[in-house]
C-alpha cells in the first residue's frame, strides 16, 4: 500500500482517526505521519513552535489563496482586542494570551488544532457545571434530534412523536433560561 | 513550619498504600488545565493580575478541605529556597516550569499530597490528582469533582466549540492529561518496549521516561499519557489509555514469566548482584543506582527478596535525586559528593529494613 499523502513511499503508519464522531482510515509513511502531525512526541516540553511554524505561514494571509484584496489588507493586523496579542505573536510563541484570543483567531485555528489533535477541532468533553447550564441543554437537544432522525428513518413514528415533544419542551426551557439571563 | 512535612518524607502519604496492579503500575495521575475567563493567561498577564489570582486562592482555598483532601496548604514559590523547590519537583508536587517562576506562583497542596493545584503556571490553574497503582477511573472521577468544587467559585474560560481554553493549543478542549507511571523492567531488558513505542504513539499516546534525559528511562520507569485533548471526552481518553496500559501490564507479566522460565538463575544472579551493589557501594551514580533499584524491585515482585517493601523503588528513586540529597545534607553538593551521599543513604535505608 502506498502512502496516501506523498504517493511515493510505502505506508507504514496505519491509523484510525475519529474526527467529530466520523471514523476514517489513514495510511501514510512515517515521514508524512510526522509532517502531518499524526505522530507527536513529548508532553509538557512539547515544542509546538517546531510543529506549527511552517503551518502558520502556509495558512497565514496569502493573496494566492483567493482572498479578496479587502480581506487580505485586514488580516495582517489581526489582534486580540482584550489582551493585545497579535496573530503574528501567537504564531511565533505558540501560546494564546487570553480566552478572547480563541474567538479573535477563530478563522485560523482549525488547521492548527487539527494538526495537534489528530484531526479534531471541536470539544466533545465535560461542560462546566455552572457556566455550562445552557450548554448541557443544547447538547441534550442535539442528542434527541439525532435520535429523532433515526426513528423517522425507521418509520417508528409513535416513538418519534414522543421525542419531538421532548425536544420542544427542552427548547422551551432553553429559551426561558436565555430570557432569564438577559 | 507547615512546609516542613512536604520536605521531610521522600514518598507522599498516598504512595504508601498499594493500589491495583501495583507490581507494575506505580501511580495514576489526572491533570486538568483551567483558566479564569476574565484574566489574561499568565504568560501575558501583569504582575498585578497574577497577584489577584494568587490572593483569590489564598482567601478562598487556604486551609480548606474537600473530601479526603484535607487542609490545603498554599506554598508560594517566592518563599522557597532553590533546594526546596527541587524537592517539590522531585516529589512531582510542582512542575519544573512552576519552580522557575518566582513572584506570584504557588501550589495548593493537600495534607496527603494526593492533590496539588498549581497556580499561575502556564495556565492559571493546573489541578493534579494522584492515585496509587492503576486507578485511572477513580482519579478521573475525583479530579472532576474537585474541578466542580473549584468551579463553584471560579468562572472558567470555556467555549462551547473549543472547550476549556488554555494558553497552549495542545491542551485545549478537555485540558486533561491522564498518565500512568509504570515499572517495566522485563520489557526493557528484552528491548520490547522500544519496539512497542511507535505503535503506542499511533494511538495518540506518549511514552517517555520519568527520570533521566532524552529517550533513556532511568529505573525502567515509564510514563504513558494522552497526547490529544480535543474532540474526545475525558472518559474516552481515559478508556483508550486504560486499554493500552492493560496490554502493557499483560506483556510485562508475560515477559517476566518468560525470563523466569528461561533464565531464572541468571535473573536471580542479576537481582542479587544489584542488591549487593546497593548494600555495599560507597560511591554510586544516579544511573547505576536507578538500574540496581529497578532490579531490586523486580526481585521483590518475583519473590526472590521478601523482607523489603515494594515502595522502596519509588522512595529511593525520589530520595536519591539531587534535590533530596542536598535537602538531607542541608547543603549544596558537588556531583562527586552527591554520589557518595547517595551510596550511604541507600545503604542506611536498606540496613533499616534488615533490622526490622
Ligand atoms: Zn508519505
Ligand atoms: Zn487575547
Amino acid at each position: 500500500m502506498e502512502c496516501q499523502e506523498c504517493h511515493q513511499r510505502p505506508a507504514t503508519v496505519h491509523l484510525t482517526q475519529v474526527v467529530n464522531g466520523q471514523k476514517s482510515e489513514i495510511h501514510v509513511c512515517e515521514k508524512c505521519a510526522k509532517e502531518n502531525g499524526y505522530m507527536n512526541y513529548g508532553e509538557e516540553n512539547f515544542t509546538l513552535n517546531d510543529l506549527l511554524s511552517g503551518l502558520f505561514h502556509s495558512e497565514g494571509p496569502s493573496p494566492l489563496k483567493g482572498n479578496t484584496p479587502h480581506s487580505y489588507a485586514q488580516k495582517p493586523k489581526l489582534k486580540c482586542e482584550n489582551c493585545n496579542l497579535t496573530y503574528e505573536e501567537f504564531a511565533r510563541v505558540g501560546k494564546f494570551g487570553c480566552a478572547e484570543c480563541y474567538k479573535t483567531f477563530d478563522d485560523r485555528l482549525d488547521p492548527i488544532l487539527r494538526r495537534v489533535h489528530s484531526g479534531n477541532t471541536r470539544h466533545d468533553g465535560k461542560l462546566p457545571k455552572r457556566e455550562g447550564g445552557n450548554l448541557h441543554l443544547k447538547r441534550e437537544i442535539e442528542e434527541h434530534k439525532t435520535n429523532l432522525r433515526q426513528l423517522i428513518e425507521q418509520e417508528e413514528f409513535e416513538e418519534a412523536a414522543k421525542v419531538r415533544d421532548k425536544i420542544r419542551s427542552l427548547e422551551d426551557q432553553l429559551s426561558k433560561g436565555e430570557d432569564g439571563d438577559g | 513550619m507547615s512546609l516542613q512535612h512536604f520536605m521531610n518524607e521522600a514518598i507522599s502519604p498516598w504512595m504508601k498504600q498499594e493500589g491495583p496492579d501495583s507490581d507494575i503500575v506505580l501511580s495514576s495521575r489526572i491533570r486538568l488545565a483551567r483558566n479564569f475567563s476574565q484574566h489574561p493567561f499568565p504568560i501575558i498577564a501583569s504582575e498585578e493580575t497574577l497577584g489577584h489570582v494568587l490572593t483569590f486562592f489564598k482567601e478562598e482555598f487556604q486551609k480548606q478541605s474537600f473530601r479526603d483532601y484535607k487542609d490545603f496548604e498554599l506554598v508560594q514559590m517566592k518563599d522557597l529556597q532553590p533546594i526546596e523547590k527541587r524537592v517539590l519537583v522531585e516529589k512531582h508536587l510542582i512542575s519544573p516550569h512552576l519552580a522557575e517562576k518566582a513572584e506570584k506562583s504557588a501550589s495548593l497542596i493537600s495534607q496527603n499530597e494526593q492533590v496539588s493545584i498549581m497556580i499561575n503556571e502556564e495556565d492559571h490553574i493546573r489541578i493534579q490528582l494522584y492515585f496509587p497503582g492503576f486507578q485511572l477511573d477513580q482519579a478521573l472521577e475525583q479530579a472532576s469533582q474537585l474541578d466542580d468544587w473549584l468551579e463553584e467559585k471560579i468562572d472558567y474560560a470555556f467555549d462551547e466549540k473549543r472547550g476549556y481554553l488554555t494558553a497552549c493549543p495542545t491542551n485545549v478542549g478537555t485540558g486533561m492529561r491522564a498518565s500512568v507511571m509504570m515499572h517495566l523492567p522485563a520489557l526493557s531488558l528484552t528491548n520490547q518496549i522500544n519496539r512497542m513505542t511507535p505503535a503506542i504513539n499511533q494511538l495518540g499516546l506518549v511514552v517517555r521516561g520519568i527520570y533521566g534525559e532524552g529517550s533513556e528511562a532511568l529505573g525502567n520507569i515509564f510514563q504513558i499519557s494522552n497526547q490529544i485533548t480535543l474532540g474526545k471526552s475525558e472518559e474516552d481518553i481515559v478508556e483508550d489509555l486504560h486499554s493500552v496500559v492493560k496490554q502493557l501490564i499483560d506483556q510485562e507479566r508475560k515477559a517476566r514469566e518468560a525470563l523466569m522460565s528461561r533464565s531464572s538463575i541468571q535473573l536471580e544472579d542479576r537481582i542479587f548482584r544489584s542488591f549487593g551493589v546497593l548494600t555495599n557501594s560507597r560511591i554510586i551514580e544516579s544511573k547505576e543506582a536507578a538500574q540496581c533499584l529497578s532490579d531490586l524491585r523486580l526481585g521483590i515482585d518475583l519473590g526472590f527478596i521478601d523482607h523489603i517493601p515494594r515502595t522502596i523503588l519509588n522512595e529511593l528513586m525520589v530520595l536519591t535525586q539531587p534535590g533530596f540529597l542536598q535537602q538531607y545534607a542541608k547543603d549544596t553538593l558537588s556531583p562527586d559528593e552527591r554520589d557518595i551521599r547517595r551510596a550511604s543513604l541507600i545503604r542506611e535505608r536498606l540496613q533499616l529494613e534488615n533490622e526490622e
Side-chain angles (χ1 to χ4, degrees), chain B residues 44 94 258:
Chain B
I44 210 170
I94 64 173

Side-chain angles (χ1 to χ4, degrees), chain B residues 206-253:
Chain B
V206 185
V207 183
R208 61 185 192 116
I210 294 258
Y211 302 102
E213 276 158 32
S215 61
E216 84 178 332
L218 284 188
N220 302 318
I221 298 174
F222 295 85
Q223 187 188 58
I224 327 290
S225 58
N226 64 300
Q227 178 77 62
I228 295 158
T229 58
L230 184 67
K232 283 165 79 176
S233 71
E234 288 81 356
E235 289 76 15
D236 286 350
I237 293 170
V238 162
E239 200 180 302
D240 290 351
L241 178 61
H242 193 282
S243 71
V244 167
V245 170
K246 193 89 202 66
Q247 287 178 45
L248 279 170
I249 293 172
D250 290 345
Q251 295 298 322
E252 170 68 21
R253 291 216 174 105

Side-chain angles (χ1 to χ4, degrees), chain B residues 278 284 289 316 320 342-351:
Chain B
L278 291 171
I284 193 164
L316 284 178
T320 55
R342 183 177 294 113
S344 72
L345 205 142
I346 292 171
R347 283 202 320 275
E348 283 163 23
R349 182 66 189 81
L350 291 173
Q351 185 60 38

Side-chain angles (χ1 to χ4, degrees), chain B residues 50-65:
Chain B
L50 296 177
H52 282 313
V53 171
L54 188 60
T55 309
F56 172 84
F57 268 91
K58 198 173 190 173
E59 285 171 0
E60 297 290 339
F61 297 107
Q62 167 83 302
K63 297 290 174 200
Q64 296 295 305
S65 301

Side-chain angles (χ1 to χ4, degrees), chain A residues 43 96-97 102 123 126 129, chain B residues 41 147 151 161 166-167 169 177:
Chain A
E43 196 202 357
F96 294 101
Y102 277 90
H123 180 54
K126 183 175 178 177
K129 269 219 159 119
Chain B
F41 299 152
D147 178 44
E151 198 220 329
K161 184 165 146 194
T166 54
R177 205 68 73 186

